[in-house]
């Protein structure tokens, strides 16, 4: 998208007014505009088509915090305009839900990361946790136990040895106990996936306990005990720590959910059939839109884009 608020110039006449309106809304919502940006915005807004587009995006997105109803589309709108407006209305609903989820994490989390951010945390016992993008943990250390909860996203744990104080991470209704180890836990689709980088862990879920050794991975969740551990390429599974996202024959739904943690906006694949499509590729975690466009092309998908802010993948 050209001519948006991240450019040094105002949008020119060839710029799609709807895309530019979303870009201006996102920039204004994210913080105060500089004097130069404000002047560029006012100059862009002087065009009547731009003003109309910005008025509509404000009605659809800008007023979500006040829960104002969406205005009815004019009968003369083109099909593309109607499609864009429906997608924007959905984005507004998602934004409202995200606000509630952020409040929940603010109350519960001791450490968290923002969209696209990773962070290494040193714990009191010398252990380290690297949080993936849009992830959160709570820490509950006590005299005889080192307990943590993975609340959202993904984390890599490097555990300091202490035979008198077990190191236990709860996630998705299960508990992962370190047995002199480093390991990764990712929350996915209501469950969790643990990958062991060194030594081994014990996974307790649904009344059963499973031992997962180095170089292996298993899934578990509230509705099922841990699956049988399988061998994996640990370096690929934890590539996010090096700024890469590597997928090997993964369902598109899982891929979209992961990319969404790196994208400043919304990415959806609402169709069950589309979410089952398989994806293999190596992508730059800093460029989720580039990854999405590559996936769209390789799977021949029909996507709806509101700028780069809101993307819906369709078959």
């Amino acid at each position: 998208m050209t001519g948006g608020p991240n450019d040094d110039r105002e949008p020119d006449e060839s710029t799609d007014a709807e895309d530019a309106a979303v870009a201006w809304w996102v920039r204004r919502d994210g913080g105060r505009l500089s004097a130069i940006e404000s002047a560029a915005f006012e100059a862009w807004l002087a065009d009547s088509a731009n003003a109309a587009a910005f008025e509509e995006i404000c009605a659809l997105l800008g007023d979500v915090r006040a829960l104002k109803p969406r205005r009815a589309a004019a009968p003369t709108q083109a099909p593309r305009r109607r499609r864009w407006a429906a997608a924007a209305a959905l984005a507004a609903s998602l934004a409202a839900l995200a606000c509630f989820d952020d409040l929940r994490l603010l109350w519960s989390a001791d450490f968290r990361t923002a969209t696209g951010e990773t962070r290494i945390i040193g714990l009191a016992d010398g252990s380290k946790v690297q949080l993936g993008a849009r992830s959160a943990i709570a820490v509950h250390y006590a005299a005889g136990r080192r307990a943590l909860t993975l609340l959202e996203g993904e984390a890599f744990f490097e555990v300091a040895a202490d035979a008198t104080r077990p190191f236990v991470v709860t996630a998705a209704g299960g508990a992962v106990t370190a047995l002199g180890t480093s390991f990764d836990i990712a929350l996915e689709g209501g469950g969790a996936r643990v990958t062991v980088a060194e030594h081994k862990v014990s996974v307790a879920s649904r009344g059963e306990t499973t031992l997962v050794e180095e170089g292996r991975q298993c899934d578990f969740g509230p509705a099922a005990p841990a699956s049988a551990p399988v061998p994996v390429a640990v370096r690929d599974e934890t590539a996010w720590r090096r700024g890469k996202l590597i997928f090997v024959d993964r369902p598109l739904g899982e891929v979209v959910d992961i990319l969404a943690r790196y994208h400043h906006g919304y990415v959806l694949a609402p169709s069950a059939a589309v979410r089952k499509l398989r994806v293999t590729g190596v992508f730059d975690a800093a460029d989720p839109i580039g990854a999405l466009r590559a996936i769209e092309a390789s799977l021949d998908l029909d996507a709806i884009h509101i700028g780069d802010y809101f993307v819906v993948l369709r078959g």
Side-chain angles (χ1 to χ4, degrees):
M1 175 172 57
T2 60
N6 293 324
D7 294 323
D8 293 331
R9 62 187 185 283
E10 64 179 285
D12 60 33
E13 293 180 358
S14 64
T15 300
D16 186 287
E18 296 162 355
D19 288 352
V22 173
W24 280 119
W25 184 90
V26 172
R27 179 64 186 89
R28 284 161 54 86
D29 186 63
R32 187 173 181 177
L33 298 181
S34 68
I36 294 175
E37 289 172 323
S38 294
F41 173 65
E42 292 299 330
W44 175 83
L45 201 63
D47 182 282
S48 59
N50 294 341
F54 190 73
E55 180 184 357
E56 182 161 354
I57 196 62
C58 285
L60 295 172
L61 296 179
D63 292 335
V64 66
R65 292 175 182 80
L67 300 180
K68 290 184 179 180
R70 173 178 170 270
R71 296 184 305 170
T76 57
Q77 287 180 316
R80 182 180 179 278
R81 178 80 167 180
R82 289 194 297 270
R83 184 177 72 167
W84 172 83
L90 178 56
S93 299
L94 290 171
L97 292 174
C99 288
F100 287 113
D101 194 52
D102 285 346
L103 287 174
R104 175 184 63 84
L105 288 177
L106 281 173
W107 281 104
S108 304
D110 292 301
F111 303 97
R112 60 182 301 199
T113 52
T115 299
E117 176 192 11
T118 62
R119 178 184 176 190
I120 296 177
I121 299 157
L123 301 178
D125 65 324
S127 298
K128 294 181 180 179
V129 181
Q130 184 171 0
L131 286 180
R134 203 187 295 169
S135 301
I137 59 169
V139 180
H140 319 285
Y141 273 27
R145 181 181 174 92
R146 297 172 290 172
L148 302 91
T149 302
L150 179 60
L151 301 169
E152 182 180 39
E154 184 168 9
F156 187 89
F157 302 88
E158 296 179 87
V159 181
D162 186 345
T164 65
R165 299 172 70 202
F167 188 99
V168 182
V169 181
T170 57
V176 178
T177 301
L179 301 174
T181 191
S182 60
F183 59 97
D184 182 275
I185 302 179
L187 296 178
E188 297 179 355
R193 175 171 293 162
V194 59
T195 303
V196 180
E198 292 181 358
H199 303 291
K200 53 191 173 182
V201 301
S202 173
V203 179
S205 179
R206 297 289 293 177
E208 298 183 19
T209 301
T210 301
L211 194 66
V212 187
E213 298 184 330
E214 182 174 321
R216 291 182 174 268
Q217 180 183 84
C218 78
D219 299 322
F220 63 92
S227 61
V230 297
V232 294
V234 174
R235 185 171 173 80
D236 290 354
E237 293 291 323
T238 59
W240 62 269
R241 302 179 66 205
R242 307 185 303 277
K244 297 293 181 183
L245 299 174
I246 300 177
F247 306 109
V248 179
D249 196 35
R250 292 282 292 275
L252 177 59
E254 293 182 8
V255 172
V256 165
D257 291 344
I258 293 171
L259 287 174
R261 301 208 309 265
Y262 294 84
H263 174 53
H264 293 274
Y266 298 95
V267 184
L268 297 176
S271 165
V274 170
R275 291 182 67 86
K276 291 178 181 178
L277 297 174
R278 314 301 289 191
V279 175
T280 295
V282 179
F283 305 102
D284 184 351
D287 185 19
I289 286 296
L292 287 168
R293 293 195 183 280
I295 291 169
E296 289 173 36
S298 65
L299 297 180
D300 194 25
L301 298 176
D302 174 25
I304 299 174
H305 286 259
I306 301 181
D308 285 342
Y309 183 71
F310 185 71
V311 181
V312 180
L313 300 176
R314 308 187 306 172

